[in-house]
Amino acid sequence: MPDTPNILLLFTDQHRLSALGCYGETPCLTPNIDRLAQEGVRFETAYTACPVCSPARGTIMTGLYPHSHGVCSNVANLGCSVHELPDRDDLLSRRLGEAGYRCGYTGKWHLGHGPRETFGTPNDPALPTNRGFEGQDFPGHGGGGFRYPEYHSYLAERGFEHRVLDWPEGKPMPVPAGELAGPTESTVPHFLAENTISLAEGYREDGDPWFIWHNNWGPHGPYYAPAEFLDLYRDAPIEPWANAQWPARNIAGPHQTKLHPQAERLSWDDWEEMLRHYYAFTTLIDYEIGRLVEYLRASGQLDNTLIVFTSDHGETCGSHGGLTDKGWHHFEETHRIGMIVRYPDGSHAGEVREEFASNADVYPTICDAAGAHYDSDAIHGQSLLPLIEGRAEGRGRAWRDCAVTEFSGVNSVSFSQRTIRVGDLKYGWNAAGEDELYDLARDPHETVNVLRRPDYREDAMALRERLLGWMRETNDQVRGIYEQSVLEYERR
């Protein structure tokens, strides 16, 4: 590894593992991401710190779980404690700047929404360029990136337009999707790739080491793609989810918050069409990732660039009996994410790590690669570099024995959940209602809650206690109510 490699963080939004070819058999085509996995190290069991957009991004910038950095839900939502990412010396961009890096930003931000007041309280609006980056400033969520003036200017300069073709009359559309009228060059992913190439080229010309965080708005909905990519999937059969018939409406639980209101009326054909668009959108993004890597190769920078690929969280898209979006459950579809690290020299190519990883690990991994100072005892993530290189006890810390995901609500509805996986067992705490326990070895699609089965009683208690230990280690504020309402009762 060079002392000061360039670092490219490729980030996708709401990207489930069924849309990554390198994670198993799928009709979704991702040849460029798959190539990164072949040339790098793939982490088989990586989990998000939180299955919501803003909190996960806050974790990338701080190395902390949301209950510590305060962006607990999407910014400007009820339930979010911090609506504008505070500027401080230990932000990832500030750490890298201190180490001599130029920091570039492309695409979705969602760590500040722009207004100088939120709920009547003054703000310090957070944008990439006032948090240590150069590049694009897009406040708020962005809704796919279609409405920003910069994108409209890009289209106008090239004679393009953003237009979605009419959806066939009478054909159900369970979630927003559509075909774009323009060519690939008119799409938001292409617009974003152009920005990242421009940033990297400027840094190359100046001779500066660089870090660029390349943020896609997809494959988060709306699932829009041009004909070139939709043609890959038109009329292609896609097998139903293995848990598609799970009786979501008849099982009490917070998951019903995200159950499609027409779940019982929608057929698999309807969801299949959504997946064709979701996969087409993903393949479009993959194509643009390929363009970025090819630019690095052609410009002679690939052998001096560390590439990290990961996502904020996954997506349901009709799984578990018709769930949509994310949040309100403990399932793999949204909690487990892809994660790949490609070394500049191609070492460790094609290797797979089975240990639990988290997107909280991105911060220390990038700081380690850049030689940037950070306090490993003050964050929750761990650098992946020792794990990759066979030095699993990096900075004096043994590698984690569990993966934890937290959730505090989304869409201005608040609810606390914690999910912990140890081995093949996953325990989910719900602040109200019955908790959940899944045996992923016997039930990989999580259709049977075995929490109250006598033969799992000891396992359930062990995971409850381990979760309490994690709450103590990370100073999770829900620990008190969890210990009082769950453990004091179950220990009797």
Side-chain angles (χ1 to χ4, degrees), residues 158-414:
R158 292 159 179 78
F160 296 138
E161 64 172 343
H162 172 76
R163 183 166 63 88
V164 183
L165 300 180
D166 292 338
W167 191 257
E169 186 175 353
K171 186 175 185 177
M173 184 197 294
V175 293
E179 180 174 341
L180 295 172
T184 298
E185 292 76 13
S186 70
T187 64
V188 169
H190 196 91
F191 162 66
L192 298 180
E194 290 292 290
N195 185 75
T196 290
I197 290 171
S198 176
L199 286 169
E201 182 63 13
Y203 298 150
R204 184 190 68 81
E205 292 175 354
D206 293 342
D208 297 321
W210 54 261
F211 163 66
I212 298 175
W213 188 1
H214 180 87
N215 272 276
N216 289 281
W217 267 283
H220 188 297
Y223 310 152
Y224 292 160
E228 177 183 353
F229 293 92
L230 277 168
D231 284 348
L232 298 171
Y233 300 96
R234 290 192 202 276
D235 302 320
I238 299 175
E239 289 295 314
W241 303 128
N243 52 32
Q245 298 303 314
W246 189 66
R249 189 84 65 188
N250 298 327
I251 297 175
H255 66 269
Q256 293 200 11
T257 307
K258 285 292 183 175
L259 181 59
H260 197 287
Q262 304 297 322
E264 291 77 13
R265 298 182 184 179
L266 293 170
S267 68
W268 176 249
D269 289 345
D270 301 327
W271 287 114
E272 186 180 41
E273 188 62 24
M274 295 303 96
L275 276 171
R276 292 187 185 112
H277 285 73
Y278 181 75
Y279 288 163
F281 191 12
T282 303
T283 304
L284 165 61
I285 292 168
D286 178 84
Y287 168 77
E288 298 298 342
I289 286 173
R291 286 185 63 227
L292 295 176
V293 176
E294 183 53 38
Y295 158 75
L296 294 175
R297 197 183 311 275
S299 63
Q301 297 181 83
L302 187 61
D303 60 0
N304 189 43
T305 303
L306 179 79
I307 300 176
V308 179
F309 167 84
T310 192
S311 309
D312 55 356
H313 53 78
E315 160 73 283
T316 47
C317 201
S319 59
H320 270 97
L323 298 184
T324 63
D325 202 29
K326 70 273 185 175
W328 307 96
H329 56 79
H330 305 278
F331 299 137
E332 296 282 274
E333 292 98 300
T334 59
H335 286 31
R336 198 163 149 226
I337 56 174
M339 186 171 288
I340 299 166
V341 177
R342 184 195 185 278
Y343 272 42
D345 62 1
S347 60
H348 305 284
E351 295 181 4
V352 177
R353 296 291 180 271
E354 301 285 347
E355 291 88 346
F356 292 123
S358 166
N359 49 20
D361 300 333
V362 170
Y363 175 105
T365 299
I366 289 174
C367 285
D368 257 6
H373 169 75
Y374 70 97
D375 184 353
S376 61
D377 293 328
I379 64 171
H380 301 143
Q382 296 178 252
S383 172
L384 296 170
L385 301 188
L387 185 61
I388 291 171
E389 296 166 9
R391 304 178 285 111
E393 294 193 9
R395 295 193 176 225
R397 296 169 66 183
W399 199 256
R400 64 175 64 89
D401 63 349
C402 64
V404 178
T405 296
E406 70 174 67
F407 176 74
S408 298
V410 70
N411 305 126
S412 289
V413 181
S414 299

